[in-house]
């Protein structure tokens, strides 16, 4: 042990030392990453995905905000005696559009985070 050091004591680290500089660098990197994430999210909000079901009988368009912006139902698929089929087709088309938007979002945002998972605590 060095002069003046007692067993179990840790050496003091100065606030402006290498650890402080590393912490500042990491903070700047996180802030840059957050700004880039916000930009990507804004870009994603403007994108749209269009899917179909029933061989094109139902067409749904969903934007990056996960809002349905267009729904087209072919009049030939409207059968008052089989409403359940129409409901199933609409659900299938909407779910597929939402799945594709989620996939696009995940792909775009992972390019910013570099595949780092668990950044939820940082508001990403």
């Amino acid at each position: 042990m060095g002069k003046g050091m007692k067993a179990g004591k840790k050496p003091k680290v100065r606030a402006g030392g290498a650890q402080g500089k590393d912490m500042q660098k990491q903070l700047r990197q996180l802030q840059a990453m957050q700004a880039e994430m916000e930009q990507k999210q804004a870009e994603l909000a403007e994108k749209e995905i269009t899917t179909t079901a029933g061989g094109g009988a139902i067409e749904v368009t969903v934007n990056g905000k996960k809002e349905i912006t267009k729904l087209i139902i072919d009049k030939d698929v409207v059968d008052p005696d089989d409403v359940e089929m129409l409901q199933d087709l609409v659900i299938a088309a909407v779910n597929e559009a939402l799945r594709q938007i989620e996939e696009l979002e995940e792909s775009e945002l992972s390019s910013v985070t570099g595949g780092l998972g668990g950044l939820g605590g940082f508001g990403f």
Side-chain angles (χ1 to χ4, degrees):
M1 274 187 256
K3 187 176 177 182
M5 292 289 291
K6 294 183 181 179
K9 289 230 172 190
K10 295 181 181 176
K12 292 183 181 177
V13 178
R14 294 183 180 205
Q19 287 181 339
K21 288 180 182 178
D22 286 344
M23 188 74 128
Q24 289 175 353
K25 181 180 177 183
Q26 288 175 345
L27 182 58
R28 282 193 302 273
Q29 288 174 334
L30 279 174
Q31 288 170 336
M33 186 185 295
Q34 184 176 13
E36 192 174 347
M37 288 286 286
E38 289 170 359
Q39 179 183 353
K40 286 282 188 188
Q41 288 170 332
E43 290 171 6
L44 281 167
E46 299 299 317
K47 294 193 178 194
E48 289 188 331
I49 295 286
T50 299
T51 60
T52 63
I58 305 289
E59 182 179 302
V60 176
T61 301
V62 175
N63 66 19
K65 296 177 190 175
K66 299 179 183 108
E67 300 168 333
I68 297 172
T69 58
K70 185 166 75 171
L71 173 63
I72 298 174
I73 301 173
D74 186 325
K75 65 181 179 180
D76 294 335
V77 77
V78 179
D79 180 358
D81 296 327
D82 195 4
V83 174
E84 291 82 18
M85 181 195 65
L86 179 59
Q87 292 168 338
D88 289 344
L89 290 174
V90 171
I91 289 169
V94 169
N95 285 337
E96 178 60 17
L98 292 173
R99 186 195 65 73
Q100 287 184 23
I101 281 289
E102 289 283 337
E103 191 176 277
L104 178 64
E105 183 178 61
E106 185 178 309
S107 171
E108 292 285 325
L109 296 182
S110 70
S111 71
V112 175
T113 63
L116 297 174
L119 290 177
F122 292 104
F124 298 132

